Amino acid sequence: MNVQSSSPSRKIVIDPVTRVEGHGKVTIRLNEAGEVEEARFHVVEFRGFERFIRGRMYWEVPVIIQRLCGICPVSHHLAAAKAMDRVIGVDKLTPTADKVRRLMHYGQLLQSNALHIFHLASPDLLFGFDAPPEQRNIIEVLNRFPEIGKWAIFIRKFGQEVIKATGGRKIHPTSAIPGGVNQNLSIEHRDDLRKDVDQIIGWCCAALAHHMTFVDANQALHRDFASYRSNYVSLVAPDGAMELYDGRLRALGPDGETIFDQVDPVDYREHFIEEVRPWTYLKFPHIRSLGRDNGWYRVGPLAQVNCCNSIDTPLAEAARKEFVARNGGSPVHATLAYHWARLICLVHCAEKIKEFLFDDDLQGTDLVLRGERRGEGIACIEAPRGTLIHHYTVDDNDQVASANLIVSTTNNNEAMNRAVKQVAMNDLSGREITEGLLNHIEVAIRAFDPCLSCATHALGQMPLIVTLEDADGGTIATRVKQ
Amino acid sequence: MTKPKLATCSLAGCFGCHMSLLDIDERIVELVDLVDLDKSPFDDKKEFDGPVDIGLVEGGCANEHNVHVLKQFRQHCRILVSVGACAITGGIPAMRNMVGLRECLEEAYLRGPTVEDGGLIPNDEDLPLLLDRVYPSHEIVKIDYFLPGCPPSADAIWAALKALLSGEAPNLPYPLLKYE
């Protein structure tokens, strides 16, 4: 750690923040009394997919656009394929195509949620936010908690195997095409996956149970850390059940009141608008009718569980009921509850995978449909990190004419900024800044499982820098976290 | 005996090559026996504090910060490997080279259908300067080995690592190198 100081004001730099996906930076400005005045979460990389995808043939988009993100490529692959279904005039896929894509999506959700909870976040929860930095990593988890290390490796591996069996490759799969899929699930792959699925469900449930020991042992921390009231947005099924592949948009207010419900994603522009601020490449979406100050919201597992009325798999539904009952029935606002909700989603995905492995439609041979060509396609999916919207127009030469992407982490932008500010004010103001305290900021950011390379349509790198500045914007102390 | 050190970074990539490294699955346990993980997105070591034996670079360079990190890696890593299409050619992010940076910024921040009040192009001093083009790693620093693929398979990464750790130049069979 590198600290430069010239009293009375300070600028602290953490570079890089680790165990999140993508390159971000936090600046914290202090007033003359050494209190936190402003805290910002910056995303510092930019790619420009919206522009350079223009001119590409529409059928190339699902394989190009997923290169936004190597952690959740399936989410982008499928969102683009769903948008292009609309472009070629297909509103409903064949049962085989629909289920192959859903199974791929549940494989993706399983591996990405496992990656986050085990590989990235678990060191903070197992060893403590202030544990020595050399301990805060998955290798130390493997050494000291081999059972959890086993879950990490094998749950993630199983999700990747599901993606390969349905998508052709583990990373950047190729099977979703406009109008359907180019392969079904082979009997050999199905039988291989069937052998392991019960074990995987068991391990997901064990991981959830293990996490509950953290929740129970740290009730005040869990309730209060980076906690604030907010709105929530996610897709839900027509009956309000959890729906992660398709469905319609629901937005709830902080007391669970409906802001809108059953909105067709095609109408997303009527409900969402994005503010651009000069200090970050990440836009700030909000609900139009509520405006900038009140219209921001959270997405991701916490929103997915808060927004739905039920989950259509028994183990996850039982866990959801406990989640709701323990929190009095209204939306859960605790930021650390993202992990709890993520584990409920993990269990749900494992259960859904089993359901599809015993569904003969996955071996069907009716894979692709075509309809009447349209000029526009809009699609929405619940990625591991929350609601993801893809919107394309395609010209008469079959070339993409425009693209607009609102990705999960962008939806959480204001929320992550608030979490950073709250932790900075509660934990840093007027105190000697230690490496451990700076990790508290990273813990808050990590709860959202941000995927910053998705979010900027930019480049992936883990670093995050925290700078503290004085009231005049001058640098007083610089802290490089290492 | 001290173990060899391994460092990794993701520059202008999508993190998919790092995911492919994790796809070695249970061999991670063997890897941990073979090497010590140094600076990497997977741990909280933020800066180099000494020489490292093998560095894996994912992604090309799209901004000055990428260049800074890549030069740090060259400075500290005895062997530096370009892993994946973006490090080797610039990859998909280098598609912006055909269009121009300003066009890309304007499309994203001024012309998007959900941009509020006409938008603006982010330009704060806290944001690293973007490069005019996206550059492959070997145009910035000397690279010792290139491991192609988008991403290279876990088996290819594993075979390359095992060879380097035995002091040999990786010589991978075609099935591990072909771009499927």
Side-chain angles (χ1 to χ4, degrees):
Chain A
M1 196 175 298
N2 169 14
V3 183
Q4 301 154 16
S5 183
S6 57
S7 284
S9 39
R10 292 183 296 173
K11 177 174 181 175
I12 294 183
V13 183
I14 302 178
D15 183 10
V17 162
T18 39
R19 293 185 285 124
V20 300
E21 197 289 320
H23 189 184
K25 165 178 173 175
V26 171
T27 59
I28 300 167
R29 287 167 206 275
L30 301 179
N31 64 18
E32 285 166 2
E35 293 155 346
V36 172
E37 204 162 59
E38 185 179 72
R40 287 170 168 175
F41 176 52
H42 310 254
V43 169
V44 302
E45 307 228 24
F46 169 74
R47 266 194 202 160
F49 269 84
E50 294 94 336
R51 174 60 186 84
F52 66 62
I53 201 72
R54 270 170 53 190
R56 306 303 302 199
M57 310 309 285
Y58 71 79
W59 56 81
E60 297 179 316
V61 174
V63 289
I64 294 177
I65 209 77
Q66 67 182 337
R67 264 76 183 179
L68 282 168
C69 180
I71 296 186
C72 56
V74 174
S75 310
H76 291 285
H77 184 58
L78 293 178
K82 285 173 60 175
M84 294 311 170
D85 294 341
R86 299 245 179 188
V87 166
I88 66 163
V90 174
D91 294 326
K92 190 171 171 21
L93 301 181
T94 69
T96 299
D98 181 68
K99 289 177 181 177
V100 167
R101 285 195 193 173
R102 282 176 186 268
L103 178 54
M104 187 180 0
H105 188 49
Y106 287 116
Q108 160 76 90
L109 289 157
L110 187 81
Q111 76 83 14
S112 178
N113 283 331
L115 170 83
H116 178 74
I117 193 77
F118 299 120
H119 297 71
L120 302 179
S122 78
D124 297 319
L125 307 177
L126 292 170
F127 306 136
F129 300 176
D130 302 291
E134 60 273 16
Q135 292 180 7
R136 298 192 311 249
N137 58 65
I138 182 66
I139 292 164
E140 193 70 8
V141 175
L142 281 167
N143 288 337
R144 286 168 57 186
F145 295 90
E147 183 69 13
I148 294 176
K150 185 177 73 182
W151 301 338
I153 290 172
F154 289 104
I155 295 174
R156 180 178 177 279
K157 178 183 182 179
F158 185 78
Q160 292 289 79
E161 296 288 356
V162 169
I163 295 170
K164 187 177 183 187
T166 49
R169 318 172 77 210
K170 288 182 173 179
I171 297 162
H172 300 321
T174 55
S175 72
I177 56 176
V181 292
N182 63 16
Q183 66 160 91
N184 62 14
L185 175 68
S186 74
I187 287 170
E188 294 74 24
H189 284 135
R190 180 199 70 188
D191 291 348
D192 279 347
L193 293 167
R194 275 186 185 179
K195 279 181 217 150
D196 295 329
V197 69
D198 286 318
Q199 178 70 79
I200 295 299
I201 293 172
W203 282 337
C204 291
C205 291
L208 174 60
H210 188 276
H211 184 70
M212 295 314 294
T213 63
F214 170 82
V215 174
D216 288 336
N218 300 278
Q219 289 184 21
L221 176 75
H222 189 268
R223 185 186 61 236
D224 299 333
F225 181 77
S227 182
Y228 48 79
R229 289 160 58 81
S230 75
N231 306 312
Y232 296 92
V233 169
S234 90
L235 289 174
V236 291
D239 65 354
M242 178 176 278
E243 167 60 65
L244 302 173
Y245 173 75
D246 213 353
R248 295 189 169 217
L249 290 158
R250 170 179 286 179
L252 298 183
D255 294 311
E257 69 277 23
T258 300
I259 299 169
F260 56 73
D261 198 5
Q262 299 299 330
V263 164
D264 189 331
V266 166
D267 300 322
Y268 82 103
R269 281 166 294 183
E270 292 172 24
H271 298 277
F272 298 104
I273 189 162
E274 297 176 284
E275 179 193 355
V276 187
R277 297 182 196 167
W279 45 268
T280 176
Y281 285 119
L282 206 53
K283 294 172 191 165
F284 290 84
H286 50 270
I287 296 166
R288 273 182 194 265
S289 61
L290 298 178
R292 287 183 185 185
D293 291 341
N294 300 313
W296 60 278
Y297 50 90
R298 288 193 265 189
V299 301
L302 186 61
Q304 289 159 357
V305 175
N306 272 337
C307 283
C308 73
N309 307 85
S310 62
I311 299 178
D312 69 352
T313 56
L315 298 171
E317 172 63 2
R320 186 196 68 86
K321 282 184 170 155
E322 187 182 355
F323 183 85
V324 171
R326 284 219 203 181
N327 294 285
S330 55
V332 177
H333 296 304
T335 293
L336 285 180
Y338 261 100
H339 298 303
W340 184 354
R342 192 170 287 114
L343 280 155
I344 295 172
C345 291
L346 190 79
V347 172
H348 173 59
C349 292
E351 292 181 284
K352 290 301 278 189
I353 288 168
K354 181 173 180 182
E355 205 176 293
F356 285 122
L357 293 178
F358 288 88
D359 184 334
D360 292 342
D361 279 346
L362 276 290
Q363 281 75 49
T365 53
D366 196 4
L367 303 181
V368 192
L369 295 174
R370 287 194 89 84
E372 195 169 328
R373 183 76 154 66
R374 299 174 183 139
E376 185 172 55
I378 296 170
C380 185
I381 199 167
E382 283 294 317
R385 294 156 187 82
T387 309
L388 165 67
I389 298 168
H390 280 208
H391 175 194
Y392 305 96
T393 56
V394 178
D395 68 18
D396 292 340
N397 296 322
D398 291 344
Q399 291 173 297
V400 174
S402 73
N404 191 39
L405 311 168
I406 303 181
V407 306
S408 319
T409 298
T410 307
N411 283 313
N412 273 333
N413 196 8
E414 178 67 24
M416 289 189 296
N417 269 283
R418 286 187 185 238
V420 164
K421 184 166 187 178
Q422 184 164 335
V423 174
M425 293 181 111
N426 289 346
D427 294 8
L428 301 187
S429 264
R431 294 175 71 176
E432 171 65 21
I433 310 294
T434 63
E435 193 278 342
L437 283 178
L438 290 179
N439 189 48
H440 290 208
I441 290 177
E442 296 182 67
V443 170
I445 293 169
R446 271 180 214 124
F448 293 87
D449 186 13
C451 190
L452 306 178
S453 78
C454 276
T456 56
H457 320 147
L459 328 162
Q461 187 189 337
M462 295 293 208
L464 188 141
I465 303 164
V466 172
T467 47
L468 284 195
E469 296 176 353
D470 66 14
D472 304 324
T475 302
I476 328 123
T478 304
R479 174 150 294 200
V480 180
K481 191 170 182 204
Q482 50 183 282
Chain B
M1 201 179 98
T2 57
K3 289 188 274 187
K5 289 182 178 173
L6 173 72
T8 75
C9 66
S10 181
L11 309 175
C14 71
F15 219 69
C17 296
H18 275 75
M19 290 299 100
S20 201
L21 171 61
L22 285 190
D23 282 342
I24 63 174
D25 298 325
E26 53 269 42
R27 288 170 289 185
I28 289 169
V29 177
E30 193 181 335
L31 181 68
V32 170
D33 284 339
L34 290 172
V35 300
D36 279 331
L37 190 63
D38 204 85
K39 180 175 160 64
S40 165
F42 291 128
D43 62 25
D44 279 1
K45 179 155 188 168
K46 317 272 182 179
E47 294 295 333
F48 288 108
D49 56 9
V52 164
D53 296 277
I54 300 171
L56 304 181
V57 176
E58 169 182 352
C61 289
N63 66 30
E64 59 176 357
H65 188 78
N66 298 147
V67 173
H68 171 72
V69 173
L70 181 59
K71 287 183 170 171
Q72 273 193 326
F73 264 69
R74 178 67 279 178
Q75 193 185 335
H76 290 90
C77 298
R78 192 168 57 82
I79 298 170
L80 198 58
V81 187
S82 261
V83 180
C86 297
I88 295 174
T89 71
I92 295 281
M95 284 172 68
R96 84 157 153 90
N97 296 355
M98 319 296 175
V99 176
L101 177 59
R102 172 152 295 277
E103 271 274 318
C104 288
L105 287 165
E106 288 177 355
E107 185 79 9
Y109 297 106
L110 304 184
R111 293 199 286 265
T114 41
V115 168
E116 190 177 39
D117 298 338
L120 56 87
I121 294 178
N123 62 351
D124 194 84
E125 62 183 7
D126 282 317
L127 300 174
L129 291 173
L130 293 162
L131 304 179
D132 60 334
R133 297 168 51 227
V134 177
Y135 294 84
S137 295
H138 63 272
E139 290 190 15
I140 310 281
V141 299
K142 178 178 181 294
I143 296 291
D144 301 301
Y145 296 101
F146 298 86
L147 190 55
C150 185
S153 69
D155 287 344
I157 296 173
W158 181 243
L161 276 177
K162 292 272 277 191
L164 291 170
L165 288 168
S166 338
E168 294 163 13
N171 187 10
L172 305 187
Y174 178 73
L176 287 185
L177 290 174
K178 73 179 172 61
Y179 188 86
E180 71 265 55

